[in-house]
Amino acid sequence: MNSTNNLNKTRNIGFIAHIDAGKTTVTERVLYFSGRIHKIGGVDQGTTAMDWMEQEKERGITITAAATNCKWNGHNINVIDTPGHVDFTAEVERSLRILDGGVVVLDAVAGVQSQSETVWRQANKYQVPRICFVNKMDKVGADLERVIQSIIRRLKANPVAIQLPWGIEAGFKGIVDLIDKKAYLYPEEGEQIPTEHPIPDEMIDEVEKYRSILVEKISEVDDELMVKYLEDAEISVEEIKKALRRATINNKIVPVLCGAALRTKAIQPLIDAINEYLPSPLDVPAIIGRELKTGRELERKPDPDEAFSALAFKAVTDPFIGRLIYFRSYSGTVKSGAMVINSSTGKRERLGRIVKMHANNKEDVEFVSAGDIVAVVGLKGTSTGDTLCDEASPVLLEPISFPEPVVSVAIEPKTRGDQDKMSEALIKLSDEDPTLRVSYDEEIGQTILSGMGELHLDIIVERMRREFKVEGNVGQPKVAYREAIRIPAKAEGRFVRQSGGHGQYGHVKIEIEPLEPDKSFEFEDKIKGGNVPKQYISAVRQGLEQALGVGPVAGYPVVGVKATLTDGSYHEVDSSEIAFKVAGSMAMKEALNRAKGYLLEPVMDLEVTTPGDFLGEVVGDLGRRRAQIKNIDAQIDDTQIIFAYIPLAETFGYANMLRSLTQGRAVFSLAFSSFKEAPQSVVSMQKAV
């Protein structure tokens, strides 16, 4: 059973970064040196332990967050390797929600990139303490100081180097530990076990300079060290490490390490730093949930003897054993086969087989305790974001929030016989992926897939073909437009039907007003004197919401609306829920027609990194795509980074255009920014569709 001592030596960490920074390569080396795997795989060869899906091996990218665990110096480390591509940002989101610490991998040449910023913001959202590993120190143009400055400038963080590279670019051969003041040399061949050396003479001044910065920065945020620092007292190595750990856990400092994962250099000190500076479950604040009946806040401490509570963060369909639910246990202990309650649905569930995951391999465990990350078979009614807890002491933990999908494609099976198989495949895939939405458009008779980007939907269609043996025809991506209203409006809906026996009668008066476009629908009941009986109020609300599904401008869902039910009337015999639902829908449609609706289009944050020679062509093309340039950042090596807003509708096919404009030398990344009002030309086009 997990004792407090074991918990103290548990680390739940994730590797997060921009695509191609080397997360999976770093993870592979960590697993190798900790003895979890016995042969190092390569991303390009498709042989890594963590990229186990066929598409991951072929494309050389991480698509799904993979979990594993390893041991190092008496510590148990649960590891999640996350994707770097923006289309799979939900995998990062749900991983950070349940992790205690993060390792941000940065490219030593590129420094902080667009998706680095995205994952950093996600880590800030969940207040996850993190360390940075500057990878690829052996590349031409590698510069640790430049990366540190980009962390300060772009991430608004407080980084501090705790290592310096020994040699740069092709001459990178090891690291200097600034705290211990020791140098470690890594051999070019063999087992990559470093040898300890005194600090090289040519680096003594540089080491002293960076070490004094290190001590000064820690002293600024740690009272215990500040006193000694001001008194010019001797500060021991142990005191520096303890203070740095406190500052890291409190998110006041980000320790920065460096290495070259592909050449297997400086990985062991990274694992040491994970143990020394990232928190155990005991070091982070206890999880806060809500009592089911009263809604008051409850605290669940990471204690094996507390009542059991856990959060499901991932669902996966396994071809051999069925549906797997990954969850993080926050408190208590529970055995395989035990009955728990899903407090999100109110239903009881039996924990079947409990397994610890190593990518897609499974090891059975008898029980799960506070701080563990495991997967369980047999939970039929549990989905991502649900809370599992002790029946005797139920609690509801905050679910995971995911970004809204922004790209849609129409999909249909190639043969009529595949219709049911396709439906089943899409149900299973959307169960696994909360950012994949499946809907059926009755007007055009098409199944619509909505996701985070073209690559995301590409992968989904490919998985359908491979895993579920369903071939699908995919139509042109459609943009998820929205509609909003400019002015308040009033309307009434009266639904009256008389046809022998009981008729139907529902009558409501409403007022609507605009909210911010990112706000969800709000409803207020201002009925006085029982003009609309209480039992029909929820039916009215349902009718109002239903009518928001098709807007008056171009038939897209309407967002940012508050509706107030002000008056109405009912009939003792003929009134019913269905009548008031229809009346509510009629009133909302009428009100929307009077409220001066307008079209919203999704706008993306675009970041283009291009050599300076092609800057004019790239900016000119962006102008033709209705992009709004925010700023252009000139780098030292004549690389230009363009930051812009661009309507999503203008981004289709951009990858090919950018390659042709820049001889394949520019790269770009997109992330959803917000919904903005669409120009009249777009409105006219959408009305014509």
Side-chain angles (χ1 to χ4, degrees):
M1 204 171 281
N2 237 355
S3 65
T4 304
N5 189 42
N6 285 345
L7 267 179
N8 208 24
K9 296 203 165 183
T10 294
R11 300 288 181 272
N12 292 319
I13 62 120
F15 288 94
I16 55 177
H18 185 91
I19 192 166
D20 279 343
K23 288 176 312 304
T24 302
T25 305
V26 172
T27 309
E28 193 78 4
R29 270 65 181 170
V30 168
L31 296 179
Y32 174 73
F33 283 116
S34 63
R36 192 69 178 79
I37 58 174
H38 303 294
K39 184 183 176 188
I40 295 176
V43 172
D44 293 338
Q45 295 77 38
T47 53
T48 62
M50 302 305 274
D51 283 352
W52 57 271
M53 283 173 67
E54 288 302 319
Q55 292 96 312
E56 291 180 316
K57 293 176 181 179
E58 287 170 15
R59 295 170 187 255
I61 61 170
T62 302
I63 293 167
T64 181
T68 185
N69 60 85
C70 60
K71 290 185 165 44
W72 182 259
N73 288 348
H75 288 71
N76 181 43
I77 308 173
N78 292 314
V79 177
I80 294 184
D81 175 34
T82 66
H85 197 286
V86 67
D87 280 19
F88 310 109
T89 190
E91 292 288 329
V92 184
E93 184 84 24
R94 60 170 150 204
S95 301
L96 286 170
R97 171 69 172 80
I98 55 96
L99 291 170
D100 300 323
V103 178
V104 181
V105 183
L106 298 172
D107 185 307
V109 179
V112 174
Q113 295 163 278
S114 57
Q115 191 62 8
S116 319
E117 289 192 47
T118 304
V119 297
W120 196 271
R121 282 198 303 270
Q122 288 170 306
N124 282 344
K125 176 178 169 184
Y126 297 114
Q127 297 182 318
V128 175
R130 67 218 81 145
I131 60 178
C132 285
F133 180 73
V134 180
N135 191 24
K136 306 185 183 183
M137 288 303 302
D138 54 337
K139 269 176 71 174
V140 174
D143 187 332
L144 180 66
E145 180 55 36
R146 193 169 74 230
V147 175
I148 288 173
Q149 291 308 315
S150 75
I151 294 172
I152 295 169
R153 188 177 71 255
R154 293 187 63 179
L155 303 180
K156 306 292 185 284
N158 186 20
V160 59
I162 62 171
Q163 295 173 351
L164 291 180
W166 185 355
I168 55 165
E169 300 180 352
F172 177 69
K173 56 189 174 184
I175 54 149
V176 175
D177 188 310
L178 292 173
I179 299 176
D180 288 326
K181 288 171 76 169
K182 292 175 184 172
Y184 296 93
L185 180 68
Y186 288 81
E188 284 302 315
E189 303 290 333
E191 277 296 290
Q192 294 293 334
I193 305 301
T195 51
E196 191 181 305
H197 295 263
I199 294 168
D201 291 344
E202 70 274 13
M203 289 186 70
I204 287 174
D205 289 346
E206 188 184 11
V207 168
E208 285 304 324
K209 173 188 150 192
Y210 275 92
R211 194 176 195 273
S212 63
I213 291 171
L214 166 68
V215 175
E216 184 180 338
K217 278 202 166 189
I218 301 172
S219 301
E220 284 172 4
V221 296
D222 189 272
D223 294 340
E224 289 182 37
L225 217 62
M226 174 63 87
V227 176
K228 284 202 152 192
Y229 180 75
L230 293 174
E231 291 174 352
D232 262 349
E234 184 68 32
I235 300 173
S236 70
V237 166
E238 196 57 38
E239 285 173 319
I240 293 174
K241 286 184 176 179
K242 281 182 177 174
L244 182 56
R245 176 177 175 77
R246 287 192 295 269
T248 305
I249 290 170
N250 291 326
N251 277 309
K252 291 178 177 175
I253 271 185
V254 181
V256 179
L257 302 91
C258 59
L262 196 60
R263 286 170 63 193
T264 327
K265 286 181 166 44
I267 300 299
Q268 299 95 325
L270 171 63
I271 317 177
D272 286 334
I274 288 168
N275 289 344
E276 282 177 342
Y277 305 121
L278 288 180
S280 75
L282 297 172
D283 296 315
V284 293
I287 192 83
I288 302 290
R290 296 197 173 275
E291 197 173 50
L292 280 183
K293 289 179 182 172
T294 64
R296 69 182 177 86
E297 285 193 349
L298 282 178
E299 185 180 80
R300 285 287 165 87
K301 292 177 183 158
D303 184 340
D305 298 325
E306 278 244 339
F308 172 69
S309 67
L311 186 73
F313 68 94
K314 188 176 168 76
V316 175
T317 303
D318 187 283
F320 302 108
I321 62 173
R323 193 164 175 265
L324 268 176
I325 297 290
Y326 287 68
F327 69 79
R328 155 76 192 262
S329 170
Y330 284 99
S331 63
T333 305
V334 69
K335 290 186 176 177
S336 175
M339 292 299 293
V340 295
I341 189 166
N342 179 333
S343 55
S344 304
T345 64
K347 293 179 180 170
R348 297 174 81 225
E349 293 262 39
R350 181 180 296 280
L351 296 179
R353 182 179 165 200
I354 300 176
V355 291
K356 280 233 175 199
M357 299 300 294
H358 173 51
N360 63 332
N361 298 315
K362 305 156 198 76
E363 297 167 6
D364 285 281
V365 292
E366 285 300 309
F367 62 87
V368 56
S369 195
D372 287 338
I373 295 175
V374 296
V376 66
V377 184
L379 298 177
K380 292 188 174 68
T382 298
S383 301
T384 300
D386 287 357
T387 303
L388 298 170
C389 57
D390 194 320
E391 287 185 89
S393 181
V395 64
L396 185 63
L397 304 178
E398 185 185 341
I400 308 168
S401 60
F402 293 103
E404 286 292 309
V406 288
V407 178
S408 299
V409 295
I411 185 165
E412 58 185 29
K414 284 197 172 170
T415 66
R416 188 168 290 227
D418 277 347
Q419 181 68 56
D420 290 343
K421 280 169 71 179
M422 189 177 92
S423 298
E424 184 187 339
L426 291 176
I427 287 167
K428 287 183 175 175
L429 288 167
S430 58
D431 176 45
E432 287 186 23
D433 186 347
T435 56
L436 176 69
R437 301 280 168 82
V438 183
S439 58
Y440 185 73
D441 190 323
E442 292 185 7
E443 286 183 36
I444 56 174
Q446 282 185 321
T447 300
I448 305 294
L449 284 189
S450 302
M452 301 307 295
E454 289 180 82
L455 177 63
H456 182 204
L457 296 177
D458 248 9
I459 298 282
I460 292 296
V461 173
E462 185 70 8
R463 286 188 65 191
M464 270 177 48
R465 186 177 69 78
R466 292 189 182 194
E467 295 172 31
F468 299 95
K469 307 293 184 281
V470 181
E471 297 279 351
N473 293 322
V474 178
Q476 175 67 29
K478 288 166 58 175
V479 177
Y481 291 98
R482 298 283 186 268
E483 295 184 21
I485 58 172
R486 289 193 200 282
I487 60 170
K490 296 179 181 180
E492 70 178 305
R494 185 186 294 272
F495 181 62
V496 182
R497 289 282 183 278
Q498 280 304 132
S499 58
H502 282 313
Q504 295 285 359
Y505 184 94
H507 171 225
V508 296
K509 291 183 179 180
I510 64 163
E511 294 177 5
I512 64 171
E513 58 186 285
L515 302 171
E516 290 296 316
D518 60 347
K519 289 274 177 36
S520 55
F521 172 65
E522 289 183 17
F523 174 74
E524 189 176 351
D525 169 18
K526 280 193 176 175
I527 290 292
K528 291 187 172 66
N531 286 358
V532 176
K534 280 271 185 268
Q535 68 263 34
Y536 299 136
I537 300 292
S538 65
V540 175
R541 178 180 179 142
Q542 285 171 23
L544 297 173
E545 277 196 90
Q546 193 173 11
L548 291 172
V550 181
V553 180
Y556 290 100
V558 185
V559 294
V561 174
K562 178 182 178 181
T564 305
L565 178 59
T566 57
D567 202 0
S569 62
Y570 71 103
H571 189 280
E572 287 284 359
V573 177
D574 291 348
S575 284
S576 66
E577 285 193 9
I578 193 75
F580 273 100
K581 186 175 178 181
V582 174
S585 181
M586 291 166 69
M588 179 59 85
K589 284 176 183 172
E590 182 63 35
L592 290 175
N593 284 328
R594 298 173 181 173
K596 293 192 177 175
Y598 62 97
L599 192 68
L600 294 165
E601 63 179 347
V603 173
M604 311 297 282
D605 266 321
L606 171 70
E607 182 177 319
V608 184
T609 304
T610 177
D613 301 351
F614 307 107
L615 182 65
E617 290 92 330
V618 174
V619 170
D621 179 64
L622 288 176
R624 289 187 288 276
R625 291 173 182 269
R626 298 194 289 124
Q628 180 187 337
I629 308 288
K630 287 189 280 185
N631 68 298
I632 299 173
D633 192 355
Q635 302 292 294
I636 298 166
D637 55 356
D638 194 37
T639 298
Q640 305 283 332
I641 303 177
I642 304 161
F643 300 92
Y645 295 121
I646 185 168
L648 178 66
E650 303 290 344
T651 64
F652 299 130
Y654 185 58
N656 291 335
M657 176 58 77
L658 187 64
R659 286 190 195 110
S660 65
L661 285 174
T662 63
Q663 300 169 10
R665 292 170 62 193
V667 293
F668 78 99
S669 62
L670 287 166
F672 175 69
S673 171
S674 60
F675 280 97
K676 297 273 171 65
E677 184 172 353
Q680 193 55 45
S681 58
V682 174
V683 177
S684 304
M685 199 182 303
Q686 289 307 309
K687 280 182 174 177
V689 171

